[in-house]
Amino acid sequence: MLEFLHDDLAILSVKEGCGEGECGACTVMLDNKPVNSCLILAVEADGTSIRTVEGEVKDGKLSPLQESFKKNHATQCGFCTPGMIMSAQSLLERNPKPNEEEIKEAIEGNFCRCTGYRQIIDAIFEVTKNAK
Amino acid sequence: MSKEYKYIGKGVPRIDADLKVTGQATYVGDMSFPGMLHAKMLISPHAHAKIKKIDTSKAKALDGVAAALTGEDLDYQVGLYMVDKTILAREKVRYHGEPVAAVAAETLEIAEKAVKLIEVEYEELKPLLDVEEAFNEKANLIHPNLGSYSHVQTAFFPKPGTNICHHSKIRRGDIDKGFQEADVIVEREYNNPSVQHVPMETHGAIVQWGIGDRVTIWTSAQSPFTVRNLFCHTFKLSHHQVRVIVPYVGGGFGGKAGIHLEPLVGCLSRATGGRPVKLIATRKEEYNTLPCRCGLKYKIKTGLMKDGKIVAQKLTLLWSAGAYADYAVNVTRASGYSAGGPYFYPNISTDSYTVYTNMVFGTAYRGFGHVELFWGLERHMDYCARELGIDPYEFRMKNLLKPGDITPTGEKLKDDSGDIRKCLNAAAKEIGWDGVKSEQQRIKEMQSGKVRGKGFAVLHKAPAMPTNTSSSCVIKMNENGSVILNISATDYGNGTYTPMAQIIAEEMDIPLDKIHVAYETDTDRDPYDWQTVASRFAPMGGRAVINACNDLKRKMSEVAAKVFECSPDDFIFQDEKIIHKSDPQKFIYYDKLATGYVYPNGNAIGGPLIGVGVYMAEGLTHLDKETGQGLPAFNWTYGAHAIEVEVDVETGEFTILKIASALDVGKVLNYESLKGQVIGGIIQGLGTAICERYVYDNKGRLLNNSFTDNKIPTAKDIPLEIVPIFIETPHDEGAYGARGAAEHPMISVAPAIGNALRDALGIELTEMPIRAEDVWKALKEKELVFEPATV
Ligand code: FES
Ligand code: FES
């Protein structure tokens, strides 16, 4: 599915970091659950709804989570960022008030070599403060 | 009193954040061009072998294959400092993973299929896998032609007839006399394996070799001008024929400095008559074929006085370069001249060797040799302190460098050189260092099954760069008074660009949202820059930007002086206006000057506003071949990490409760961005300290070339508390006093952990990485595991 999204549909936010289900760079939301798109065949996803980070922008505005990533310097090279945001967004939709451990668990499968994760966790945490 | 700034120092968001959080930042892998072909490499399954026969006919016959090349087709030499490599292996392979052939085809699937059809017959040779064995004068030669390779002769000294491709020496004082005077001599050995940079984006390039040898290269490189320069050297092209474009880059950490896939992809494009060809390394190739960080084995011998003063230091470093010299020779050189660390030595002797081995070759990696070097050095300093019965904090304070001291290369430190003592003091205080744990206390704590320990380690590093390292930039003012900065830094995540925008905002008093830094670097359109490595950009590139602002202001002043019939020196720049100093009623908005000032009668003066700025480090010298004396360093950045760990005595598993990292950064340009660099560096340092390493079998085959077997830290591995501390001793030459700090946070994390584990358990680790099983084993050797404590 990764190839299909990236190469055929030009949904370029979906990145390949390993192609083996280890790094999370290719994470998309499939029926609202985060999945490694490199491990799924496109045909398997037939009939499901797929969300990528492109779809998080509404009316030209960043989502609260994207805004928080920006404010907290939770992106550096940016290569892990789309996948990271999709994992975090999915967590926040399942559990609007996660604690630090739950945040770490949700993004454990998303490698980031640049940030050291702290500012990413802070960015996710900040969004939860405004959650009802 | 430090000056109040409007933009400098503030943690404003990265100027590329919007594109990155929306997935709109485009990397090489996201690019495609009409008629583009896809490439695949065939890599060597052996670490050392003769290529007896290679046959691509079946691959070429496959439908959809446009070109298939082997080393026989490519009689070119490439190399950074030592021109010792071919584009594809010729005659023999020197490491497992070395490319021996490559195919360009209509689709990646076809290319993958085609390389499998290439038949290669090898004759295996015995691989040299141990650096000491390879160092031996009688060892088989990995590069029998070493003597004929061209190389940078002012800096590198190969020994033909051996596997030693460089030897750096430092000689200062009288080392023998120093050891004679010493009350105590401590000599120990340390070891680091090779590791990978692991940028999340692997290396990739697209090249189109057009008619008339017009070459365009899109590449995930840190060094567009270096790629251009070396590409031109290899193919004997003129620089104006080759255009290198660097889009967004997904992390580099040194691994994307220099030149890598570009020549091969270029040759494939040429072989297809000029179609663009794309090659993106797989993760396996990233580990196996592209370079890693060199391994290091070293001995440190220290002469000490009873009062804690160091009188002599002798270091012997054997760098395992792997199959090619690449950056390893310069890592050897840089780590050679800084091998003493930030300490004062009346007598020091250092021998740092680069040795070819049959393993994946090493290159620059964040820290440039210092992560490896400081592991042993700072473990060693703790050991020396304990041998003398002195608190390791006091021991360091007695010997750390201060202004007025002379470094091992003969540089006299000045007040603006930075303050290592302040760094150590701040970090140690943050973890509440109150002296070493007594054996009694340790034994008592062990009964609870969990023991805590504290430790610290200092660090220093200067940029390793040529003596004429320079940056240049152009600021163009647009019709509405906004500006565009063209600069050939690459921001591969390191946050190079945002502070440049902040500098323009500060200097010109233009709001940040009217400043655009052109992200993509293009050697055809952007002015020269050496490269974005060595933590040098903020201080040096920043100076170029300040100079460009001054140039722009001067040009604006000249026009305004004509308008108001006064001197060009009479103006200040505020709120996007150039204002007469003593008569604030006289002012002109920037936009009215941007493309030339127009008088009410229509006459126009001036013209489009362009500011040009250059900056070059001056006063640096080559190092003397025999003594290493000279001035190699633009600036030193000092720092210290302090760590508290908790260890499970039964399993050896440990948790880092807290890490405090103090760096003398000179001046913080963007607080949040710097914090991100520091935390990211600490975690990369943690990875190298606790889990990452290359594992080879006895035939030299890399066994762990995937994320499954060669893990990097995840969100779950980070310390519970991370405290970055910034000391600001301004550096006279750096922009606003800033020093580089991108590599430094990674250096000395490992020894700080090692020292904290020593404090907790009394174990002496000398090999990296430190895994739970290593701690457990060391404890067992101490016969403390599971032993009921008796006091
Ligand atoms: S690319 Fe899918 S997990 Fe790495
Ligand atoms: S920001 Fe570079 S990998 Fe996460």
Side-chain angles (χ1 to χ4, degrees), chain B residues 765-785:
Chain B
L765 298 164
T766 56
E767 304 228 354
M768 270 193 3
I770 315 163
R771 296 153 302 176
E773 59 260 39
D774 302 312
V775 174
W776 183 83
K777 242 192 262 157
L779 254 177
K780 201 165 174 207
E781 272 159 28
K782 243 191 121 216
E783 295 182 322
L784 281 168
V785 174

Side-chain angles (χ1 to χ4, degrees), chain B residues 502-542:
Chain B
Q502 289 172 270
I503 289 175
I504 298 176
E506 191 73 47
E507 295 289 320
M508 303 295 303
D509 206 11
I510 296 176
L512 274 171
D513 59 10
K514 288 180 89 172
I515 301 168
H516 176 63
V517 182
Y519 240 86
E520 194 174 70
T521 303
D522 179 341
T523 56
D524 263 16
R525 305 226 162 110
D526 295 322
Y528 175 83
D529 190 278
W530 173 54
Q531 48 184 342
T532 310
V533 297
S535 314
R536 62 167 278 270
F537 209 83
M540 296 182 69

Side-chain angles (χ1 to χ4, degrees), chain A residues 6 15 17-18 22 53 57 62 66 70 73 75-79 85 104-105 108 113-117 119, chain B residues 12 14 18 20-21 27 29-30 196-198 251 283 365 492-493 672 676-677 680 684 692 708 713-714 716:
Chain A
H6 186 271
K15 303 289 191 229
C18 64
E22 292 283 340
V53 82
V57 181
L62 301 181
Q66 288 172 316
K70 175 177 171 180
H73 283 240
T75 179
Q76 287 187 22
C77 79
F79 203 80
I85 288 180
K104 285 184 180 170
E105 215 144 278
E108 191 193 359
R113 192 56 154 174
C114 302
T115 64
Y117 305 103
Q119 284 157 309
Chain B
V12 301
R14 297 176 63 98
D18 283 345
K20 286 180 174 170
V21 300
Y27 304 79
D30 303 328
Q196 237 286 324
H197 311 72
V198 194
R283 183 58 60 186
Y365 185 177
Y492 39 95
E672 289 296 326
Q677 280 301 298
Q684 203 163 13
E692 297 171 29
T708 321
T714 72
K716 284 205 142 178

Side-chain angles (χ1 to χ4, degrees), chain A residues 117-128:
Chain A
Y117 305 103
R118 186 64 259 168
Q119 284 157 309
I120 294 175
I121 298 165
D122 293 345
I124 300 169
F125 208 69
E126 200 171 291
V127 178
T128 68

